Amino acid sequence: MIDLRGKTALVTGASRGIGRAIALYLGRAGASVAVTDLLLEDRPQDLDILADYSALAGHFQKIDGVYTQSTAREIRDSGSASMAWAMDVTDSGQTAKVVEEVKTNLGPVDVLVNNAAIMENLARFENQQDEHWSRNLEVNLTGAFNCSKAIWSDMCDRGWGRIINISSITAAMGAEANPAYASSKAGLIGLTRSLALEGGRSGITVNAVLPGFIATEAMMLAGEERLSQYRERSAMKKLGRPEDVAGIVAFLTSDLAAFITGAAI
């Protein structure tokens, strides 16, 4: 029932986990997909600099856990157009440039999924580091602002668009020893509802999805004891799958959700 043929989607942070699952799902629904991430498989990185930017990004680069280009290939194999781009969402100039390249190669962006995020600064409040607080807000919140701004005028001109911001259940319940992540994800809900108010008159819907405990590659690094706690806190007593999040995102991009905007699901 979800047919995205003729639409172009841009997904940020799509090299693995939830972002990769979303990109694959939208591609199977017929969309042309721009797969974007800070990292590309064949792009050399200074691991020390990368680790300063994001410890998790540094970890996955080091273990060859980056699948940006392979995700694009998998989408092409499924029959949809797809290309991969390296993109730092904190760089507004770079995001604008990539959006123009996507427009040239795949078409103007109809669907934007702001998924790129980091989760650093795991420490009690008295031990929080200022620079890590700023980096979380810059990537998780300002990154979504930058990408949304880069596609906004085109969507308004065409009178149709879908923006889905990937927030987190921590936006509603908080995150012990990780206030920066929870705060940035709560900020995404405010951004979502603000853009929904402006976008509605131009045919643009803007919604947020708040995943719970999802079995991503990053989540699995938590260790079995912590994962067991997460399962116990879940109503279903299990971790979700990235594909579970991708399904609701695909629904929100479709005509089935044409009258849903400003929601935090």
Side-chain angles (χ1 to χ4, degrees), residues 199-254:
R201 67 190 70 132
S202 299
I204 303 169
T205 67
V206 189
N207 293 288
V209 176
L210 286 61
F213 301 113
I214 307 298
T216 63
E217 296 93 330
M219 174 67 79
M220 302 313 288
L221 296 174
E224 186 52 42
E225 181 178 355
R226 182 63 62 85
L227 292 174
S228 179
Q229 294 172 359
Y230 292 156
R231 293 187 193 98
E232 191 57 34
R233 292 176 68 182
S234 167
M236 296 183 180
K237 306 305 179 187
K238 65 179 182 180
L239 301 178
R241 304 170 303 143
E243 292 78 12
D244 296 324
V245 182
I248 187 65
V249 170
F251 165 73
L252 290 171
T253 68
S254 75

Side-chain angles (χ1 to χ4, degrees), residues 251-264:
F251 165 73
L252 290 171
T253 68
S254 75
D255 290 337
L256 296 171
F259 201 61
I260 299 174
T261 196

Side-chain angles (χ1 to χ4, degrees), residues 23-184:
L24 291 172
Y25 203 122
L26 298 182
R28 287 195 295 270
S32 299
V33 184
V35 182
T36 73
D37 197 89
L38 180 67
L39 306 175
L40 294 180
E41 291 93 315
D42 62 1
R43 185 179 184 184
Q45 293 281 347
D46 184 312
L47 292 179
D48 291 333
I49 295 175
L50 185 59
D52 286 340
Y53 184 102
S54 165
L56 278 176
H59 168 77
F60 286 111
Q61 175 74 22
K62 188 175 182 179
I63 66 168
D64 295 327
V66 178
Y67 307 107
T68 313
Q69 292 163 312
S70 63
T71 300
R73 283 195 296 271
E74 194 168 338
I75 293 169
R76 291 195 296 271
D77 289 344
S78 74
S80 294
S82 184
M83 295 177 67
W85 277 270
M87 185 171 76
D88 180 353
V89 296
T90 70
D91 185 335
S92 60
Q94 188 179 115
T95 57
K97 180 181 178 181
V98 170
V99 165
E100 284 303 309
E101 291 180 2
V102 172
K103 186 176 181 179
T104 298
N105 289 277
L106 297 176
V109 176
D110 303 292
V111 175
L112 170 65
V113 183
N114 286 312
N115 171 74
I118 61 173
M119 186 169 58
E120 315 288 342
N121 218 10
L122 297 170
R124 304 296 298 180
F125 187 62
E126 61 270 21
N127 297 319
Q128 291 285 306
Q129 298 181 35
D130 294 352
E131 62 271 24
H132 286 166
W133 166 271
S134 297
R135 174 60 67 178
N136 271 256
L137 293 178
E138 190 179 18
V139 175
N140 301 357
L141 182 54
T142 303
F145 170 84
N146 289 338
C147 293
S148 298
K149 193 172 183 182
I151 54 83
W152 188 258
S153 293
D154 263 1
M155 283 187 177
C156 289
D157 290 344
R158 297 196 310 280
W160 198 96
R162 299 286 186 267
I163 299 175
I164 297 94
N165 295 319
I166 306 302
S167 178
S168 165
I169 195 62
T170 64
M173 60 189 289
E176 185 176 2
N178 201 355
Y181 184 76
S183 298
S184 65

